[in-house]
Amino acid sequence: MHGEVLVANAPEREEGRFFAFSARAFALAALAALLFSLAAAFVVWPLHPLAALAIVIAGATILVVLGAIWLWMMLPTARRFATYATAIERERARFERLFSNMPDVGILYDAAGIAQRGNTAARALFGSEGDALNGRGVGECFAAEQRENVARYFERAVAGEVVEFESVVLDERAERVPVWTTFVPVVGAGKILGVFGIAKDLRPLRILQREVLFETERFRSLFDINHEPMLQVGADRRVMRANAAFERISGFGSGELIGATSGLFSPANTEEIRESAYRRVMAGEAFESESQLRCKDGRILPVMVALIPMARGTEIEGYYLVMRDLSAQRTFERREEMTREKLRELYRLATVPQEELEPLLARVLDFGRRMLGMEIGYVLGIDGDDFIIRAKGGAGRFSLGERVPIARSISRHVLESETPLVINDIRESAMRDDVAADGEPWRCFLGAPISVEGVRFGCLAFSSKYLRETPFDANDLDFVKLMAALLGSAFERDRRASTLGDLALRDPLTGLANRTMLAQRLEREIAHAKRNGGELGILFLDLDGFKDVNDRFGHAVGDRLLAEVGRRLLSVVRGDELVARVGGDEFVVVLNDLRSDSLERCTERIEGALTQPYTESDLTVGVSVGSAVLGPDGEDPGALLGAADAKMYRAKQARRSAGVR
């Protein structure tokens, strides 16, 4: 079929047909002349041999003449035919090189769809042993699901149409290979001689498409899906593209951004800075600097801006603008600084001298309210079933020293856990129906427990009727826990100091105040009475008959009797009145408010308590009492004690004279 195609397509095919016809005609004429001369010679030979010989020579001459005439007439045509043959051979070689060496698969089919020949690429794809393609039908190379369509496309090609389509062929290992197939009709002598099938292997294209898709997705991930705000800006400084992160942070929609100038997003008075940055990036320099972003709602955000040249070859077509919001970083820095300030202040407060405990509590509450943005702060101590307000900050409802039932305080929940109690909005909290709702009208609350020596002492509580701008975070919780720990340490030091002070200021036998505490207390009470116009009095007591107890029962029994005397004295005086032991069997009672408890009533209660029987002995013990009042009997502790002692001595003498022990 290959040769037919080449001959059929020779430009002088009509002349070729005439040359063949004339050759046949001259051959027939020569044959006829030869046969005639031979027949005539055969007939004449018996009659005249010479004549027969002449006839044969004449016939041969005619053959030579006819051949010469035909050669003379056909010589140019023969030459042209030689040229045609050379051209055909040259075209055959060219076609062979093109057909064999083309990179795509090429197969020649006859009109019936039977493969006649395949090129090198075809043999490499479908098998190179022998000519594996020869004799195979057009659909046999294609995947089973493609064969019906391939047959239909082949029929269209046989009808004279060039058909292109994408399909899948099976290689020599029966693996699927995507190809782009073209069926080209082969026309010769005005008819379709066959079909030339060309198949382009699409596997490299698929790989390239995957790489392009991968790069496209990478760019999309880098730009469109990037959580950092990004702009693509042209050389004319107009926005070509903005990612979702930029739209989200700026508040501008894509329609407002595309075509806008980049200066739209910078604060005023920075034209010189923007111009310098533009020159640098258009010169091919990538850099970053800190700047600000003006959002649609007017907010100014601190941002770190990176400018990256957008180059194509050596030409800079624009630049990418990548922003990183520094608001969180600035907020973190402010919080860190606030945390450092909190720690500095707390450590400073922790070094306050212990005698300034009450001012320390007030300063801690004020500092905590300022750092947390809260209106009210309390330090609550536990006393039985109540909280006692130990310290107060702000204009709260409760006052210092006031008692609040624990069961009706929201702070009771603080005592139930080691972690702080956080309520960002009581109206949205599970505690909105708590019994503490009838207390102070607050919206947010933060409290932490205070422990002293491992025992729950109370709690630190902050509240506000206004909501905070932001909910409490971990820093706030750590801060209030640290404050509670500081207060716990302060109370612990105060308790230890009080214990050590008691050892120095109290009588070790009875636990009552000693002379030193009595003198200190008298000085304070005298100053308080003079400042506030109060009435102050003291009772000086001396036991009668105590020496007989020691003599008869020993000092151990005498000591136990003195301890019992101390307990009885404490039972008959008010809780804020002082009882002191100033000698072996001498006691002093300080009455700081004579308007509510007179010297006479207190003396009667003391005498009634001390003259009751004692279990340690069968002896009776009496008491002699002398009194003194601030003002009439003296203005200082020494004068009052001296006056009361003198009156007590006179009373004892009077009792002895009367025979009373």
Side-chain angles (χ1 to χ4, degrees):
M1 187 181 74
H2 187 188
E4 291 177 2
V5 172
L6 294 175
V7 173
N9 287 332
E12 288 81 6
R13 56 183 178 274
E14 295 297 332
E15 186 175 359
R17 284 197 293 269
F18 173 74
F19 179 82
F21 173 76
S22 63
R24 286 194 295 269
F26 274 99
L28 288 174
L31 180 61
L34 178 62
L35 291 175
F36 177 77
S37 61
L38 290 176
F42 180 75
V43 173
V44 175
W45 181 265
L47 300 178
H48 196 292
L50 291 176
L53 183 59
I55 290 172
V56 172
I57 293 172
T61 302
I62 291 172
L63 287 176
V64 172
V65 171
L66 286 175
I69 292 173
W70 184 83
L71 287 175
W72 176 75
M73 293 177 61
M74 293 295 110
L75 185 60
T77 301
R79 289 175 179 172
R80 285 194 295 274
F81 259 64
T83 303
Y84 297 157
T86 302
I88 289 172
E89 186 60 32
R90 185 168 58 251
E91 291 300 321
R92 184 192 301 274
R94 290 175 60 188
F95 180 83
E96 184 67 28
R97 287 194 301 271
L98 176 64
F99 179 74
S100 299
N101 298 325
M102 64 184 297
D104 297 331
V105 172
I107 303 175
L108 279 174
Y109 295 96
D110 62 15
I114 303 301
Q116 302 297 311
R117 187 180 178 193
N119 65 357
T120 304
R123 290 193 297 273
L125 183 63
F126 298 111
S128 59
E129 294 184 2
D131 203 341
L133 288 172
N134 292 352
R136 296 177 66 177
V138 66
E140 294 183 32
C141 297
F142 291 86
E145 73 275 7
Q146 304 286 334
R147 291 172 183 173
E148 183 178 348
N149 291 335
V150 170
R152 187 167 59 253
Y153 294 145
F154 189 84
E155 291 175 1
R156 290 168 56 185
V158 171
E161 181 182 351
V162 177
V163 183
E164 293 183 309
F165 59 95
E166 186 174 348
S167 186
V168 177
V169 299
L170 302 176
D171 64 9
E172 62 177 335
R173 295 185 297 273
E175 294 182 358
R176 299 169 65 88
V177 179
V179 294
W180 182 261
T181 304
T182 305
F183 283 159
V184 181
V186 178
V187 181
K191 65 178 182 178
I192 304 298
L193 301 177
V195 173
F196 184 30
I198 305 171
K200 184 175 185 61
D201 190 349
L202 295 180
R203 285 177 295 184
L205 179 61
R206 293 287 184 267
I207 294 174
L208 181 60
Q209 287 176 338
R210 287 195 296 270
E211 291 178 352
V212 171
L213 179 61
F214 176 70
E215 292 300 327
T216 302
E217 288 299 319
R218 285 180 62 187
F219 177 78
R220 181 171 177 268
S221 299
L222 177 65
F223 191 91
D224 294 335
I225 310 178
N226 198 319
H227 70 281
E228 299 286 7
M230 296 182 68
L231 293 177
Q232 184 178 358
V233 184
D236 59 355
R237 307 190 194 187
R238 295 191 176 275
V239 177
M240 301 168 59
R241 190 174 184 179
N243 68 353
F246 190 91
E247 295 177 13
R248 182 174 60 253
I249 193 174
S250 66
F252 291 100
S254 58
E256 299 172 285
L257 293 171
I258 306 304
T261 61
S262 58
L264 174 65
F265 313 111
S266 299
N269 303 323
T270 58
E271 184 61 35
E272 182 177 348
I273 298 175
R274 290 201 304 270
E275 186 65 29
S276 174
Y278 176 77
R279 288 196 300 268
R280 290 177 61 183
V281 73
M282 292 305 292
E285 179 183 354
F287 66 96
E288 65 177 15
S289 63
E290 190 169 338
S291 185
Q292 291 178 317
L293 169 66
R294 178 188 296 163
C295 299
K296 185 176 180 179
D297 58 7
R299 291 179 299 120
I300 302 297
L301 297 181
V303 292
M304 181 64 71
V305 178
L307 298 179
I308 305 171
M310 184 172 60
R312 176 176 295 181
T314 59
E315 182 180 357
I316 305 298
E317 296 183 336
Y319 54 93
Y320 294 105
L321 189 150
V322 184
M323 290 186 179
R324 186 171 72 254
D325 185 4
L326 298 180
S327 301
Q329 180 177 336
R330 293 292 180 265
T331 301
F332 176 77
E333 291 173 353
R334 287 194 297 270
R335 287 183 176 178
E336 285 294 300
E337 179 57 33
M338 184 174 293
T339 299
R340 288 192 290 270
E341 181 184 353
K342 291 175 182 177
L343 292 175
R344 287 195 298 267
E345 182 65 14
L346 288 176
Y347 285 135
R348 189 184 68 81
L349 293 175
T351 61
V352 172
Q354 194 59 36
E355 59 269 16
E356 299 183 17
L357 177 61
E358 299 304 324
L360 168 64
L361 299 180
R363 281 195 293 272
V364 167
L365 289 177
D366 289 340
F367 177 66
R369 290 190 304 115
R370 180 166 58 88
M371 290 292 102
L372 296 171
M374 305 291 275
E375 291 183 289
I376 303 167
Y378 289 116
V379 175
L380 307 175
I382 300 174
D383 186 10
D385 295 331
D386 296 334
F387 280 127
I388 295 181
I389 308 300
R390 294 292 305 271
K392 171 186 175 182
R397 169 185 174 184
F398 302 106
S399 57
L400 287 176
E402 187 171 350
R403 305 178 74 88
V404 180
I406 293 178
R408 301 194 60 82
S409 172
I410 197 72
S411 297
R412 72 183 186 279
H413 299 291
V414 178
L415 305 178
E416 299 169 359
S417 174
E418 293 296 331
T419 60
L421 174 63
V422 180
I423 302 177
N424 287 301
D425 188 349
I426 187 62
R427 299 180 186 179
E428 299 178 0
S429 170
M431 298 182 183
R432 59 183 176 272
D433 298 325
D434 194 275
V435 294
D438 60 354
E440 298 187 16
W442 51 269
R443 290 288 298 278
C444 55
F445 177 92
L446 179 61
I450 300 174
S451 297
V452 176
E453 296 180 342
V455 179
R456 196 70 86 221
F457 175 85
C459 65
L460 171 66
F462 294 96
S463 62
S464 176
K465 64 182 179 182
Y466 301 106
L467 294 179
R468 285 165 45 96
E469 294 183 1
T470 58
F472 293 109
D473 57 18
N475 286 333
D476 297 326
L477 271 62
D478 290 340
F479 174 59
V480 77
K481 287 173 63 178
L482 185 59
M483 292 180 66
L486 169 65
L487 293 177
S489 298
F491 283 121
E492 184 174 340
R493 292 195 308 272
D494 181 66
R495 177 178 293 179
R496 290 176 179 175
S498 298
T499 301
L500 293 175
D502 284 348
L503 294 176
L505 300 177
R506 291 190 179 276
D507 174 48
L509 176 62
T510 61
L512 301 176
N514 59 15
R515 283 184 175 274
T516 303
M517 180 182 288
L518 174 63
Q520 294 176 356
R521 179 70 173 271
L522 271 178
E523 287 182 356
R524 288 200 299 271
E525 294 295 342
I526 290 172
H528 183 270
K530 290 180 177 179
R531 183 170 58 252
N532 298 314
E535 296 181 3
L536 175 69
I538 65 171
L539 296 176
F540 200 108
L541 315 177
D542 184 84
L543 298 181
D544 297 330
F546 179 71
K547 185 176 182 301
D548 294 339
V549 174
N550 281 334
D551 292 342
R552 292 184 56 185
F553 300 100
H555 289 284
V557 173
D559 289 344
R560 288 195 291 272
L561 187 144
L562 290 174
E564 177 64 21
V565 169
R567 286 190 289 272
R568 293 186 184 187
L569 287 175
L570 291 175
S571 68
V572 296
V573 299
R574 296 201 313 262
D576 58 344
E577 294 176 338
L578 179 71
V579 178
R581 181 187 177 205
V582 295
D585 58 353
E586 295 177 337
F587 300 85
V588 174
V589 177
V590 179
L591 305 177
N592 53 20
D593 188 2
L594 294 182
R595 287 172 293 189
S596 60
D597 191 10
S598 67
L599 293 173
E600 290 77 10
R601 287 195 300 271
C602 186
T603 300
E604 291 175 0
R605 292 197 302 272
I606 291 173
E607 289 178 344
L610 297 187
T611 55
Q612 295 296 321
Y614 294 89
T615 59
E616 292 290 347
S617 70
D618 57 0
L619 296 178
T620 59
V621 176
V623 60
S624 298
V625 181
S627 63
V629 177
L630 178 65
D633 295 314
E635 298 291 338
D636 57 71
L640 289 176
L641 289 172
D645 185 19
K647 292 181 181 181
M648 181 275 298
Y649 183 76
R650 289 195 294 271
K652 182 181 286 289
Q653 293 296 330
R655 289 170 63 84
R656 287 177 179 175
S657 299
V660 180
R661 294 179 59 85

